[in-house]
Amino acid sequence: MCNNDIKQLLSNSTIGTPSGTRPGTGSSNGSSNGSSNDSPNNDREGTSIDATIKNKMDLEVYKWRLPIKKEGNFKDHFSNLLLFSGSSFITGLEVAVLSTLYYVAVTYPSLSTPTSCTLLHLFYYLLTTSLFRRFYNAFLEACYFNFPAMRTQDEKEHRLIKSKKDLNGRQMEQLKTLHLHDIGTFLSTTVLDLALYFLIPGFYPSPPPLLHRVLKLITNHLVMSFGMYWLHRSCHNVPLLWRIHGVHHWAKHPLSRNTYEDHWLDNFSNAIVGHAVAQVLVPLDWGTFVFSHVFRIAESLEKHSGFSSYLNFAHQITVLFLPWAQMPHHHDWHHEGNKGSNYTFSSIGGIWDCIFKTRHEGRSKKLGNQASGYDRRLTDDKVNGIYIRPKKGFADTAFGSLLPVAVVLVAAGFKLW
């Protein structure tokens, strides 16, 4: 970053927020008098800026720009563990809710739902997924900032400071809106988890024999990814749904921090069509369900992480069984352009993209060692001129893409009834 960029940044009170403060809520550490470069104090300002750089600049380096060479230690590359907008308020709210749940579970064990896991186990599930989401996000962002050769996008894609956008291409007002949606996401999904536990007896059944558990896990993931694939595809086909899902696509250059930064209704719908419906149709015992959800979180965070390598652990496991599994270089492509890109909608595995012809190789050529055989065939077909782009059809209409979503919802409703 050049000195002019830094001067512009430090002189703008909405951009130069102190580290650990959510944009729009903190005061600037830079000049607030709007002095220009031809000010008599310009030389003094330049000296001040150089000193600020030496002291790591008091800027949110990992929110507004990529670090300059040799800037910071390894530990500095970990993003804010608060995750949701880096907000201490939301994290405090989560601590309060989980603490209350723990107290109730320990004090009143009789409140546990019969034929399901105990209320204390539900607390352990919520705590485990919360901690894993934060620490794995921090790990992935540390990898992104430390290993530039693994990045899926060129560094220039993230030089957005002059346009007053964050590292992911989002404007200040969008970041403030996302903060409100993060609150809605936490509250709505927590209420959903509690409602499912108390209203559906046996929502977490007793564990079956090992082979049966493995088969149910595979089937559960297929059902879950099928519903989420069609819901996601619908969000790109139905204008009303796009107004909701488009909030997630404000991030044109994804990093793992963007994974759950969506409209709260988008996250809530995914929770219902994904894990809730799959758990109703193919119920997993508590332990298998927790494993499934943690793995799904890892896969989703990796998909948005902005780097493709052997350090994408969930993908490296998935690709052993599903060689067409989606990687960040696919999902980056999905986030770009008008309405993003109408390709690569799948969650775990990527199988539905292959079946329904919505797979795109993305930036596989740049990261050849991470490209699947399916990606290489797509690339070769295009180079050789034999690739035929699928034409839009019934599945791309509002009714056609919503029909499979309705089918899985109705099937779950019938089973509960």
Side-chain angles (χ1 to χ4, degrees):
M1 180 189 293
C2 66
N3 273 356
N4 286 337
D5 290 338
I6 298 170
K7 291 174 185 176
Q8 177 185 355
L9 189 62
L10 290 172
S11 66
N12 189 315
S13 61
T14 62
I15 298 295
T17 54
S19 180
T21 303
R22 187 176 62 83
T25 62
S27 61
S28 171
N29 285 313
S31 171
S32 59
N33 60 9
S35 59
S36 63
N37 288 343
D38 56 0
S39 165
N41 296 323
N42 191 47
D43 292 340
R44 189 182 304 170
E45 182 185 358
T47 303
S48 174
I49 290 172
D50 290 339
T52 309
I53 293 175
K54 203 169 185 179
N55 293 311
K56 299 181 188 175
M57 298 200 335
D58 287 336
L59 295 173
E60 290 183 316
V61 172
Y62 304 101
K63 187 179 290 290
W64 297 107
R65 63 176 179 82
L66 294 173
I68 59 179
K69 190 174 182 180
K70 296 182 180 180
E71 183 177 32
N73 298 315
F74 181 82
K75 63 181 177 61
D76 298 320
H77 292 276
F78 283 81
S79 64
N80 198 327
L81 288 177
L82 302 181
L83 190 63
F84 284 121
S85 302
S87 168
S88 56
F89 170 76
I90 300 177
T91 302
L93 179 63
E94 186 172 16
V95 170
V97 169
L98 290 180
S99 299
T100 302
L101 179 61
Y102 177 77
Y103 173 79
V104 171
V106 171
T107 308
Y108 305 102
S110 60
L111 292 177
S112 296
T113 302
T115 70
S116 189
C117 67
T118 66
L119 190 56
L120 189 59
H121 279 83
L122 181 64
F123 161 78
Y124 288 144
Y125 154 65
L126 294 174
L127 179 65
T128 299
T129 53
S130 175
L131 292 177
F132 180 80
R133 190 180 293 116
R134 282 165 166 74
F135 283 98
Y136 201 56
N137 170 71
F139 166 74
L140 291 172
E141 296 222 344
C143 291
Y144 175 85
F145 289 117
N146 275 279
F147 307 117
M150 298 176 179
R151 295 173 188 163
T152 56
Q153 296 188 6
D154 294 331
E155 186 173 330
K156 64 182 180 181
E157 299 288 346
H158 292 269
R159 291 174 182 167
L160 301 166
I161 226 162
K162 288 185 178 181
S163 57
K164 300 182 182 178
K165 294 180 179 179
D166 77 339
L167 197 59
N168 312 103
R170 300 170 301 184
Q171 299 174 355
M172 287 297 304
E173 289 304 315
Q174 292 174 335
L175 292 174
K176 294 175 184 177
T177 301
L178 281 169
H179 180 64
L180 298 177
H181 284 303
D182 288 343
I183 297 173
T185 290
F186 170 69
L187 292 176
S188 61
T189 54
T190 302
V191 168
L192 177 65
D193 284 325
L194 292 171
L196 291 171
Y197 175 77
F198 284 113
L199 297 179
I200 304 178
F203 190 72
Y204 302 107
S206 300
L210 179 60
L211 180 59
H212 194 188
R213 292 173 78 179
V214 172
L215 293 176
K216 289 186 73 173
L217 176 64
I218 294 171
T219 308
N220 179 284
H221 276 191
L222 288 172
V223 171
M224 175 185 66
S225 60
F226 178 82
M228 294 184 71
Y229 169 88
W230 283 108
L231 178 62
H232 191 180
R233 190 167 174 177
S234 298
C235 287
H236 286 253
N237 291 330
V238 182
L240 179 60
L241 295 181
W242 173 252
R243 291 183 63 183
I244 296 171
H245 182 62
V247 172
H248 180 65
H249 280 266
W250 286 345
K252 299 296 183 185
H253 316 290
L255 295 176
S256 57
R257 67 185 71 164
N258 307 135
T259 306
Y260 300 102
E261 289 184 321
D262 309 336
H263 193 291
W264 73 269
L265 193 55
D266 200 2
N267 283 323
F268 186 66
S269 301
N270 275 311
I272 293 175
V273 176
H275 281 288
V277 166
Q279 183 68 2
V280 169
L281 294 174
V282 189
L284 303 176
D285 62 276
W286 177 83
T288 308
F289 180 85
V290 173
F291 169 81
S292 167
H293 203 168
V294 166
F295 193 83
R296 166 77 181 107
I297 290 171
E299 183 269 345
S300 195
L301 288 171
E302 287 181 4
K303 195 164 55 180
H304 292 85
S305 66
F307 79 97
S308 289
S309 80
Y310 62 91
L311 294 171
N312 297 117
F313 296 126
H315 171 78
Q316 299 304 326
I317 294 171
T318 305
V319 78
L320 295 174
F321 309 98
L322 299 169
W324 47 80
Q326 188 181 147
M327 281 286 278
H329 53 262
H330 303 113
H331 205 68
D332 272 356
W333 188 277
H334 176 80
H335 269 258
E336 298 171 18
N338 181 35
K339 281 197 178 181
S341 170
N342 286 344
Y343 295 94
T344 57
F345 300 109
S346 289
S347 54
I348 288 178
I351 185 172
W352 303 115
D353 278 310
C354 297
I355 291 175
F356 297 114
K357 307 298 182 184
T358 52
R359 176 65 170 234
H360 195 290
E361 72 275 22
R363 290 191 174 87
S364 299
K365 290 175 67 175
K366 180 183 177 183
L367 299 152
N369 64 327
Q370 292 298 317
S372 68
Y374 194 96
D375 293 329
R376 287 191 287 269
R377 285 194 298 275
L378 278 177
T379 302
D380 292 342
D381 288 349
K382 290 180 178 180
V383 170
N384 297 326
I386 60 176
Y387 172 77
I388 302 175
R389 181 184 295 274
K391 294 181 180 180
K392 287 192 174 183
F394 176 71
D396 297 293
T397 65
F399 181 77
S401 55
L402 282 172
L403 182 60
V405 180
V407 168
V408 295
L409 288 172
V410 170
F414 268 117
K415 185 172 181 182
L416 290 174
W417 184 58

